[in-house]
Amino acid sequence: MERWKGRVALVTGASVGIGAAVARALVQQGMRVVGCARSVDKIEKLAAECQSAGYSGTLIPYKCDLSNEEEILSMFSAIKTLHKGVDVCINNAGLAHNEPLLSGKTEGWRNMIDVNVLALSICTREAYKSMKERNVDDGHIININSMGGHRMVPSADEHFYCATKYAVTALTEGIRQELREANTHIRATCISPGIVETEFAFRHHNSDPEKAAAVYESMKCLKAEDIASAVTFVLSAPPHVQIGDVQMRPVEQVS
């Protein structure tokens, strides 16, 4: 990770869970991390914790609604002005709504597409533009995917969410191919966790907290820090090594 010290990473959805853990890990490694979310209160608290801990990097909170393209573009413009640009883009933000394919509300489907697919694609495009403008040839785009992007969960509540994550799997490979066509050494990776103990299930099952708690009580789940460790592993790989997809799940998880 030595070569990343002082360089700029964008982490979307950095207020809680995996995003917060990734932001903390990168700051600990000496990176300047722009952490964005719709609300930055928790990111500001995390930034203060990182500073108190004496980490060599810096966490910069940025308020951004990723379902709004204008806000995303404004964020990249601010990063360019204040920090020159993005060297590492961690597309972590994602959400799920209980909207089955046969009875779900279009609004919920659209929100999942806006955040899980379109925001990821817009951030990737803008990060690549930033790298090219500055002749950065060793940047990295990391998409936080899901095991749901590789097999369909047998639950109607998850089907549309899984479809958006299948899209992330396809997008990551498409990005890798286009980067090769552009004769660049910028890398693209997706990390696909199974069940991770975060606030995700409680947001997903917000009307049934007992159901959410049962998800995490059924096994020893992955922790957000496990995913952060996978991110630093991917970033620390030698520049000639392309890690395409890291699939990880709890030992006790069946599928």
Side-chain angles (χ1 to χ4, degrees):
M1 291 293 290
E2 188 68 26
R3 69 189 178 92
W4 294 113
K5 284 189 175 179
R7 299 182 71 181
V8 178
L10 170 66
V11 179
T12 66
S15 60
V16 294
I18 293 171
V22 170
R24 179 191 293 272
L26 297 184
V27 171
Q28 197 169 4
Q29 294 291 339
M31 296 193 75
R32 288 183 291 155
V33 179
V34 177
C36 78
R38 285 176 298 176
S39 174
V40 295
D41 294 350
K42 291 180 180 178
I43 305 177
E44 289 171 346
K45 182 180 177 182
L46 178 59
E49 290 174 2
C50 290
Q51 187 174 15
S52 297
Y55 295 160
S56 56
T58 309
L59 177 57
I60 303 109
Y62 195 95
K63 185 176 182 179
C64 180
D65 180 357
L66 291 166
S67 65
N68 184 322
E69 181 174 7
E70 291 305 314
E71 290 197 22
I72 298 174
L73 297 180
S74 178
M75 175 177 65
F76 273 90
S77 177
I79 294 171
K80 180 178 180 178
T81 300
L82 299 172
H83 310 288
K84 296 186 179 178
V86 172
D87 301 307
V88 174
C89 181
I90 313 287
N91 288 309
N92 165 73
L95 50 82
H97 296 298
N98 294 337
E99 304 292 355
L101 299 176
L102 300 183
S103 60
K105 296 181 179 65
T106 305
E107 180 184 4
W109 294 344
R110 185 174 288 115
N111 189 218
M112 284 186 270
I113 289 174
D114 283 346
V115 176
N116 299 1
V117 180
L118 286 178
L120 177 148
S121 300
I122 295 166
C123 287
T124 296
R125 181 190 68 202
E126 297 305 310
Y128 175 69
K129 283 183 182 178
S130 173
M131 294 173 198
K132 289 297 288 181
E133 285 173 357
R134 296 172 295 122
N135 295 315
V136 170
D137 194 47
D138 65 343
H140 210 133
I141 296 159
I142 299 178
N143 297 327
I144 305 300
N145 196 358
S146 167
M147 286 302 300
H150 301 276
R151 82 285 186 269
M152 186 61 71
V153 176
S155 168
D157 290 346
E158 312 284 348
H159 289 162
F160 199 94
Y161 168 76
C162 285
T164 67
K165 290 302 184 176
Y166 266 84
V168 173
T169 300
L171 287 167
T172 306
E173 175 58 14
I175 292 162
R176 187 195 69 80
Q177 291 185 16
E178 291 189 26
L179 290 170
R180 297 291 69 76
E181 291 170 6
N183 292 318
T184 174
H185 292 90
I186 297 168
R187 297 180 291 181
T189 301
C190 74
I191 296 175
S192 303
I195 299 175
V196 186
E197 188 172 356
T198 64
E199 295 182 7
F200 187 87
F202 289 97
R203 290 180 173 181
H204 183 32
H205 302 293
N206 57 5
S207 61
D208 191 352
E210 290 185 4
K211 183 176 182 179
V215 171
Y216 298 141
E217 291 169 0
S218 64
M219 69 186 78
K220 184 173 177 58
C221 301
L222 298 177
K223 302 293 185 184
E225 290 74 20
D226 297 324
I227 317 309
S229 295
V231 169
T232 56
F233 165 74
V234 166
L235 285 173
S236 61
H240 69 285
V241 176
Q242 169 74 62
I243 299 174
D245 187 14
V246 178
Q247 296 185 25
M248 52 196 298
R249 67 187 103 190
V251 170
E252 299 172 38
Q253 185 173 343
V254 175
S255 62

